[in-house]
Amino acid sequence: MKKHLLAILLSTSALISTGAVAADLSFPHLETTGRGEVVVKPDMAVFSVDVVATKPTASEAKQAADQAVTKFIERLTKAGVERKNINSANISLSAQYRYPKDKAPEFTGFKATRNVVVTVYKLENLNTYLDDALGDGINQINNITLKVKDQKKYQDEARQAAIANAKEVAASLAKGFGDKVEGVWQIDYNTNARPMPYGMRSAPMMYASDENSAAVNQSYSDNNIVISDSVNVIFKLAK
C-alpha cells in the first residue's frame, strides 16, 4: 500500500486553552501547533442502504421490508460478502398520513425502514456489491466510506509527523530570533478533535454495466484517504 507523509507548517498560534495557560507563564517560551498527515490508498469500505416498504398494516410493512433485506443479503453472500460483515438488525415503523388542504389528515398506511450496513474487505468488488443493492424496496445508497484496515498504524504515523512538525517549527522560530529551544513545558493533545479519514458520500445509486464494472471498481481504489493528527506544544526558550 503506497503512502507518504505530509508535514504542514503552521504559525505560532495555538488553541485558546493553550494560549490562556501560556499567557500566565513568566519565563520565555513559544507556542506551536504541529500537524501531520498520512495519505494512503483505501483497502476496505463501508456502505449502507435503507430498505423501505409502505403497506396498509404494520405487519405487512415489516414483512415486506424483511423480505427485501433477506433477498439483499442473499445477493451479497452469493457475491462473496461474509454474513458477519452485514449488519441488518435495526428496524423502524411509522404511521403515514396525507395532509389535504383544509381537511383532516388521512391515514395512508405504515412505513417500515431497515438499514443495512455492509463492510467490504475486497475493494475491487465494491461496485459489484453496490449493484447487488439494486432490488425491491431499495432505492438509495446512503453513503460510501473508504477506509484502511490498519487505522491505528497510520494514525500513529500521522501523530508522529505532527510531533516532528511542532519541533521543527519551534526550532526554526527560535533560531530566527537568535535563541534556541530548551525543552517542552506543556503538550496539549485533544484526541476527540482529530480529523478522521476522508469519507466519500454518494446519494444516488451506483450502477455499472459488465463492460465497465472493472474500471468503476478501480476508481474506488484510486481514491486517497487522508489521516490527520495535530498537537499543540509550549516550548521553553533558553535565556
Side-chain angles (χ1 to χ4, degrees):
M1 181 180 299
K2 296 180 180 179
K3 65 181 186 298
H4 64 275
L5 299 179
L6 300 179
I8 303 176
L9 297 182
L10 202 65
S11 67
T12 56
S13 62
L15 292 178
I16 295 176
S17 59
T18 306
V21 173
D24 296 331
L25 300 180
S26 59
F27 54 82
H29 62 276
L30 63 85
E31 306 168 51
T32 64
T33 297
R35 290 188 176 179
E37 292 184 346
V38 180
V39 180
V40 299
K41 293 291 184 183
D43 56 11
M44 63 176 291
V46 177
F47 72 91
S48 65
V49 302
D50 280 335
V51 178
V52 181
T54 302
K55 298 293 180 180
T57 68
S59 61
E60 289 176 318
K62 179 182 180 302
Q63 184 178 17
D66 290 345
Q67 290 176 347
V69 169
T70 299
K71 291 178 181 179
F72 179 39
I73 292 175
E74 289 175 351
R75 293 194 296 272
L76 286 175
T77 54
K78 185 177 180 180
V81 179
E82 294 187 38
R83 183 62 182 86
K84 66 180 181 180
N85 296 325
I86 306 171
N87 185 349
S88 60
N90 57 77
I91 185 171
S92 65
L93 285 167
S94 60
Q96 301 297 294
Y97 294 89
R98 184 172 55 200
Y99 297 89
K101 185 177 180 180
D102 300 327
K103 293 183 179 180
E106 299 176 0
F107 174 75
T108 59
F110 285 89
K111 181 174 75 173
T113 303
R114 287 189 64 177
N115 178 257
V116 182
V117 180
V118 183
T119 301
V120 175
Y121 290 102
K122 294 182 179 179
L123 201 56
E124 66 274 14
N125 295 334
L126 176 58
N127 194 65
T128 301
Y129 303 145
L130 296 177
D131 288 346
D132 288 333
L134 296 170
D136 295 337
I138 305 176
N139 55 19
Q140 179 173 306
I141 295 176
N142 294 329
N143 59 73
I144 306 167
T145 303
L146 301 177
K147 296 185 175 184
V148 288
K149 297 184 185 74
D150 201 345
Q151 167 74 22
K152 184 180 182 301
K153 171 187 174 182
Y154 298 115
Q155 192 70 60
D156 287 344
E157 289 187 15
R159 185 179 304 113
Q160 292 304 314
I163 293 170
N165 179 231
K167 291 179 179 178
E168 179 184 354
V169 173
S172 177
L173 288 170
K175 181 179 179 181
F177 286 98
D179 210 327
K180 64 179 180 179
V181 174
E182 187 177 71
V184 175
W185 173 257
Q186 177 176 302
I187 300 172
D188 185 2
Y189 182 68
N190 186 352
T191 56
N192 294 326
R194 287 176 293 161
M196 296 301 291
Y198 172 75
M200 181 180 65
R201 292 187 175 276
S202 177
M205 290 293 296
M206 301 272 185
Y207 184 78
S209 62
D210 291 339
E211 299 85 55
N212 63 9
S213 178
V216 175
N217 279 325
Q218 185 61 40
S219 71
Y220 293 114
S221 299
D222 287 342
N223 280 276
N224 287 330
I225 55 178
V226 180
I227 301 175
S228 306
D229 216 332
S230 64
V231 61
N232 303 287
V233 187
I234 299 176
F235 292 92
K236 294 187 294 183
L237 295 175
K239 279 290 187 180

